[in-house]
Amino acid sequence: MHDLKWIRENPDALDRSQQRRADSLVPARILEIDSLRRAAQTRLQEMQERRNAASKQIGAAMKDGRGDEAESLKAEVSALKEQMEQAEAEERVAADELHEILSGLPNVLDDDVPDGASEDDNLELRVVGEPPVFAFDAKPHFELGEALGLMDFETASQLSGSRFVILKGALARMERALADFMLDVQTEEFGYTEISPPLLVRADVLHGTGQLPKFGDDLFRTTDDRWLIPTAEVPLTNMVAGKIVEESELPIRVTAHTACFRAEAGAAGKDTRGMLRQHQFYKVELVSIVKPEDSEAELERMTGCAEEILKRLGLAYRVVLLCSGDTGFGAARTHDLEVWMPGQDTYREISSVSNTRAFQARRMNARYRPAGDGMGPEHLHTLNGSGVAVGRALIAVLENYQNADGSITIPDVLRPYMGGREVIRADA
């Protein structure tokens, strides 16, 4: 959500951000509706004051025997009541329309976000590690997993439809091992507190983090009007919704390993084979809640926390700054981590780390009280990112650690979580 006062004072800045995102919503309409709403509020206040004054005058007129004047004042009060009801109705209509528009308005981009229309225009910040070189043709993860007998898409499809998978044996354990490894690093070394949040939330919770109303088609909804989370960012960030936290409590850093659910409504025909784009998948999510002046540094810190996972797994990756057309709805700036996938001969996203600044906090009414006398509450800044996507990390390990015979060498850091096993073979 946006600060209306800021929009009134900076309409050109909002207009530029909207143009850079190629979004059709224009600030001029916001200002027009805001003006109508404020005018109705002013009329309402003026009529309220006049009604109060006239009501007092009625008593005085009656006391002084000025009956005709009292009756005239009563008629005026009655007319004012009708006019006030009309002004209230106009104010409600304008307020509802304004809320609807603002709810669908994306965050304002940081000035240094590069212009561009798609992922092809993203800016590469750095490349880390060297992709492995094989003496054989690298296979994609789904061929490796199926040949091992540990990845079953057919049975999953019979159970649930497309975009689901069953992992068995050592691959099921590796999925769990990856999550445990990530959680241990984030909690023991980087100061995140582990949370086990609900997987079902109310609509207002999704509105707070920006998934609703714009992205309802990409979510799963229950018959009792609850929603399956698309990411643990939703419940983790909303833990401060409607609250005022003390400055001494900041920063708040929390993490969770959860299942995530997405309808992938706009992904028809994309990544239909394998595990890259599933309706159900797992992530270790990172959320930071900080003072406004700390959010830029926190974005860099969080990006490093996610990078460390890939470094320890020995995976080559790159960090890119998303362009204006590829930056998500709620983000002011986003860093994507893209891991090298030998079976696809390209980099694929494995984590997005975003600074939403006060965008989500305004929608959630999440504030903090600065230390010092006389300081009123201010909106927090919130950040989120994957630390990292578990399923895609599994894919990356399979493809980067594959051997000529189809077996998979287990990265050193995962072996303690795999009972000391070093290799996954078809008999696993």
Side-chain angles (χ1 to χ4, degrees):
M1 198 69 78
H2 296 271
D3 181 0
L4 269 174
K5 183 175 182 292
W6 181 88
I7 293 176
R8 294 183 200 118
E9 295 173 351
N10 302 274
D12 292 341
L14 179 60
D15 191 44
R16 283 195 305 273
S17 181
Q18 288 295 97
Q19 290 175 358
R20 294 175 69 202
R21 286 183 178 271
D23 197 288
S24 60
L25 292 173
V26 292
R29 180 58 179 160
I30 296 172
L31 296 177
E32 178 185 350
I33 299 170
D34 181 45
S35 179
L36 292 172
R37 180 180 65 91
R38 295 171 76 192
Q41 289 174 333
T42 299
R43 293 201 316 273
L44 190 61
Q45 182 178 352
E46 291 172 347
M47 287 186 287
Q48 178 73 54
E49 292 173 353
R50 176 53 193 158
R51 187 182 70 171
N52 292 342
S55 296
K56 292 180 181 179
Q57 291 170 359
I58 290 172
M62 294 290 289
K63 183 178 181 180
D64 295 342
R66 292 176 279 124
D68 290 345
E69 183 180 344
E71 291 302 319
S72 177
L73 288 168
K74 288 179 182 179
E76 182 183 0
V77 169
S78 179
L80 282 170
K81 181 181 179 182
E82 293 181 5
Q83 293 170 24
M84 288 173 64
E85 290 175 351
Q86 181 179 349
E88 287 174 343
E90 291 175 5
E91 195 275 336
R92 280 196 302 271
V93 169
D96 289 345
E97 185 175 356
L98 191 60
H99 183 269
E100 182 179 354
I101 290 177
L102 290 176
S103 293
L105 192 69
N107 202 352
V108 176
L109 296 166
D110 283 359
D111 290 338
D112 62 347
V113 169
D115 290 336
S118 70
E119 61 183 22
D120 296 331
D121 301 310
N122 293 338
L123 176 64
E124 185 176 274
L125 299 178
R126 55 185 172 273
V127 177
V128 180
E130 292 289 336
V133 177
F134 298 110
F136 54 90
D137 291 335
K139 295 180 180 179
H141 68 279
F142 49 87
E143 290 185 14
L144 292 164
E146 289 177 326
L148 288 167
L150 303 177
M151 191 177 288
D152 187 347
F153 295 97
E154 183 178 351
T155 302
S157 179
Q158 293 170 358
L159 295 173
S160 305
S162 61
R163 298 192 187 275
F164 289 92
V165 66
I166 290 174
L167 299 179
K168 304 176 184 178
L171 289 192
R173 183 166 184 175
M174 180 179 281
E175 183 179 53
R176 174 162 51 94
L178 282 162
D180 287 346
F181 161 65
M182 295 174 196
L183 286 172
D184 285 350
V185 171
Q186 303 302 345
T187 58
E188 296 174 10
E189 299 185 35
F190 296 134
Y192 284 89
T193 298
E194 184 176 355
I195 304 292
S196 179
L199 302 184
L200 285 166
V201 296
R202 300 188 312 270
D204 62 290
V205 175
L206 286 155
H207 181 276
T209 43
Q211 283 78 17
L212 288 179
K214 194 174 181 67
F215 303 105
D217 289 344
D218 204 36
L219 304 173
F220 289 105
R221 187 178 187 177
T222 67
T223 55
D224 64 351
D225 205 29
R226 283 181 281 198
W227 304 71
L228 287 166
I229 62 169
T231 165
E233 167 203 342
V234 175
L236 292 181
T237 309
N238 272 274
M239 287 170 62
V240 295
K243 297 180 179 179
I244 301 176
V245 301
E246 300 299 327
E247 182 177 343
S248 59
E249 299 176 60
L250 300 174
I252 297 170
R253 295 177 177 135
V254 288
T255 184
H257 167 228
T258 68
C260 305
F261 305 90
R262 295 183 187 172
E264 297 291 351
K270 296 180 181 178
D271 301 316
T272 54
R273 292 207 65 187
M275 289 178 57
L276 269 167
R277 202 178 293 271
Q278 298 265 284
H279 289 312
Q280 173 185 312
F281 57 97
Y282 297 87
K283 279 200 305 174
V284 170
E285 187 73 4
L286 308 175
V287 165
S288 289
I289 298 163
V290 301
K291 295 184 294 184
E293 60 266 31
D294 294 339
S295 66
E296 289 187 19
E298 187 68 11
L299 177 64
E300 298 300 328
R301 196 198 72 85
M302 287 182 70
T303 302
C305 292
E307 285 186 77
E308 190 62 28
I309 298 300
L310 302 182
K311 289 176 181 177
R312 296 190 190 187
L313 287 171
L315 299 172
Y317 67 92
R318 65 179 183 178
V319 181
V320 299
L321 172 60
L322 298 195
C323 70
S324 58
D326 202 28
T327 301
F329 176 83
R333 178 187 178 98
T334 296
H335 295 163
D336 264 12
L337 275 60
E338 299 179 346
V339 67
W340 179 254
M341 299 285 197
Q344 301 164 64
D345 196 33
T346 191
Y347 289 98
R348 296 300 298 259
E349 177 198 338
I350 195 168
S351 173
S352 283
V353 187
S354 297
N355 186 355
T356 76
R357 298 196 178 272
F359 181 80
Q360 291 179 330
R362 288 187 181 279
R363 296 171 77 99
M364 299 184 302
N365 192 27
R367 296 174 292 169
Y368 80 103
R369 183 178 289 105
D373 295 334
M375 300 290 288
E378 298 179 16
H379 284 101
L380 294 155
H381 276 200
T382 63
L383 302 95
N384 63 80
S386 305
V388 294
V390 176
R392 293 199 173 193
L394 176 68
I395 293 170
V397 168
L398 291 179
E399 295 193 5
N400 281 273
Y401 284 88
Q402 61 181 293
N403 301 308
D405 62 357
S407 64
I408 309 297
T409 300
I410 297 172
D412 290 345
V413 293
L414 293 184
R415 291 178 185 178
Y417 299 90
M418 296 286 293
R421 174 177 282 173
E422 299 180 0
V423 180
I424 297 175
R425 305 185 189 279
D427 58 354

